[in-house]
Amino acid sequence: MGLETIDEVKKIEHQATQLERDYQEKLKDMQNDTQERINQLTEEAETEIRAFKEREQEKKDAKLQELKATYQQEQEKAINQLEANFERNKDQLVNAVIEEVMRKYGNS
């Protein structure tokens, strides 16, 4: 009975050692899987952040172009108005000069 008990104890010790190895291996696999998943999620998040930044930059660029176009239109309108005012005032000045010349020298 002593040898059977010793063999049984050795068998139990062997099973316990095997269980410990299996546990450690599964734990290591879980840690590796977890780290891989974290890496994957981090990469996905970084990709989403880059895509978001690119979309926001595109929106900003489009808005900037829109504002630039609006400003250019307003500027062109203001220039045209100034040119029209200049032409109108130039004609009035020329007419005033002609009238003054005619008044001074036309009646001689």
Side-chain angles (χ1 to χ4, degrees):
M1 186 155 143
L3 285 177
E4 283 181 25
T5 304
I6 292 173
D7 287 341
E8 196 63 32
V9 168
K10 286 183 180 180
K11 186 177 176 183
I12 292 171
E13 285 177 348
H14 177 70
Q15 289 174 343
T17 303
Q18 188 61 42
L19 283 173
E20 177 67 21
R21 274 191 234 135
D22 289 347
Y23 169 78
Q24 291 298 329
E25 188 176 312
K26 286 181 182 179
L27 181 62
K28 186 176 179 182
D29 288 345
M30 287 176 62
Q31 288 172 337
N32 288 339
D33 290 345
T34 301
Q35 188 59 49
E36 286 177 17
R37 184 68 178 142
I38 289 170
N39 292 342
Q40 179 185 7
L41 291 172
T42 300
E43 187 176 319
E44 289 173 6
E46 288 172 354
T47 299
E48 285 298 316
I49 290 169
R50 279 192 301 274
F52 174 78
K53 285 181 179 179
E54 288 173 8
R55 287 190 304 270
E56 289 303 305
Q57 185 65 43
E58 288 171 3
K59 287 179 187 176
K60 186 173 113 179
D61 290 345
K63 185 67 175 175
L64 186 60
Q65 288 300 321
E66 181 182 322
L67 291 172
K68 186 176 178 181
T70 301
Y71 176 74
Q72 285 177 336
Q73 288 174 350
E74 290 173 0
Q75 189 177 26
E76 287 175 16
K77 184 178 176 183
I79 289 170
N80 290 338
Q81 190 173 11
L82 286 173
E83 288 175 350
N85 288 341
F86 174 77
E87 287 300 319
R88 186 174 55 250
N89 290 337
K90 183 178 84 169
D91 291 344
Q92 289 176 354
L93 180 61
V94 168
N95 288 338
V97 169
I98 291 172
E99 286 177 18
E100 185 63 26
V101 168
M102 292 301 286
R103 191 175 60 79
K104 280 189 175 184
Y105 302 107
N107 294 335
S108 305

